[in-house]
Amino acid sequence: MIFAANWKMNLTPSEARVFARAFLPLVVPRAGRTLAFFPSAVALEAAAAAFAARGDVLVGAQDVYWEPKGAFTGATSVALVRGAGATCALVGHSERRHVFGESDDDTRRKVRALFDGGCAPFLCVGEKLAEREAGLTTAVVLRQLDAATNGLSSAELSRLVVAYEPVWAIGTGLNATPEDAAEVHLAIRDALGTDAVPILYGGSVNKGNVAALGSRPEIDGVLVGGASLDPLGWADVVNRADGSGS
Ligand code: PGA
């Protein structure tokens, strides 16, 4: 399983170092398990250094801009995040789409830029509550997936990670049931046409629901915001999913 921690707009560089020191001894490397951390851009370098000794840990950016360099004040290119130690990046997170107004085509450009720059995209897709209630979940998710992967080679497609994150479940305490999530994961898997791509679930994952979500064969991992900010709490979530927690 992949356990991805999206720290959003939290944790300074020194807090990231403190996190790593507390967390790493609690979660020993295990075959078949990858840990990924997505700190803010300013904490990338500190996090990459703090986790460097662990081959089972990836560090990635929360977002990138698609242009390689130039006069784009406030933006961060793939080369800049690579230079700070990132090897992967979230792209199309619902907060980028719905707070910052990113379009499907913006997401596609970012996916393209990440592959061109040698960074693995963790592509986020998910429907809003009104879309779910209108029966549009699969249509919305597959539209986002199709738009973002348009033009990729099959070799690139197989290096993608997809995260299904229903917007109504993010930070709300409401999570999709394992069955609901599994149904969407199956639709994504069918559309991708490959078993190589891990499909993560995200949206109010916590220590109480992670084992049930993780036990579904359709769910290859989790992408977690709130419950990943505290090192002891996040270690507990990871260990519970593997049945080794208290
Ligand atoms: P949450 O966030 O775990 O706080 O719901 C998940 C995410 O936005 O990736």
Side-chain angles (χ1 to χ4, degrees):
M1 271 183 81
I2 298 176
F3 293 86
N6 175 9
W7 285 348
K8 308 194 180 186
M9 205 166 70
N10 299 286
L11 303 190
T12 64
S14 59
E15 287 168 343
R17 283 189 280 270
V18 169
F19 183 109
R21 264 200 301 279
F23 173 83
L24 287 176
L26 303 175
V27 181
V28 292
R30 180 178 286 205
R33 179 167 72 192
T34 300
L35 306 164
F37 289 91
F38 296 93
S40 84
V42 295
L44 268 176
E45 193 164 10
F51 290 120
R54 286 281 294 261
D56 58 330
V57 179
L58 303 173
V59 173
Q62 294 174 13
D63 184 40
V64 292
Y65 189 52
W66 57 78
E67 291 289 348
K69 61 158 79 171
F72 301 102
T73 301
T76 312
S77 68
V78 177
L80 288 172
V81 301
R82 289 271 328 237
T87 59
C88 53
L90 299 179
V91 57
H93 188 276
S94 73
E95 287 145 22
R96 298 304 316 172
R97 293 178 191 267
H98 304 304
V99 180
F100 296 98
E102 278 185 19
S103 67
D104 284 349
D105 198 54
D106 294 341
T107 303
R108 179 190 61 76
R109 288 170 184 240
K110 291 179 178 192
V111 169
R112 183 68 264 153
L114 284 163
F115 277 121
D116 290 343
C119 236
F122 279 52
L123 170 66
C124 305
V125 294
E127 83 287 3
K128 294 195 268 191
L129 184 58
E131 292 165 336
R132 170 161 285 254
E133 286 173 348
L136 295 172
T137 297
T138 310
V140 168
V141 165
L142 296 189
R143 187 204 76 223
Q144 293 173 342
L145 183 72
D146 189 53
T149 56
N150 187 14
L152 296 183
S153 68
S154 52
E156 285 167 339
L157 196 68
S158 68
R159 298 206 308 276
L160 201 64
V161 175
V162 173
Y164 167 55
E165 298 203 302
V167 180
W168 49 270
I170 295 179
T172 58
L174 302 169
N175 66 290
T177 64
E179 293 69 33
D180 286 343
E183 196 180 316
V184 181
H185 282 222
L186 273 179
I188 294 171
R189 173 77 59 216
D190 271 0
L192 287 168
T194 170
D195 287 336
V197 175
I199 305 174
L200 318 184
Y201 169 78
S204 295
V205 175
N206 58 40
K207 65 181 182 181
N209 58 30
V210 70
L213 288 160
S215 70
R216 295 290 310 209
E218 301 86 351
I219 299 178
D220 304 312
V222 287
L223 176 57
V224 182
S228 74
L229 292 174
D230 161 63
L232 278 71
W234 183 228
D236 194 20
V237 172
V238 173
N239 287 326
R240 277 174 194 249
D242 282 353
S244 59
S246 50

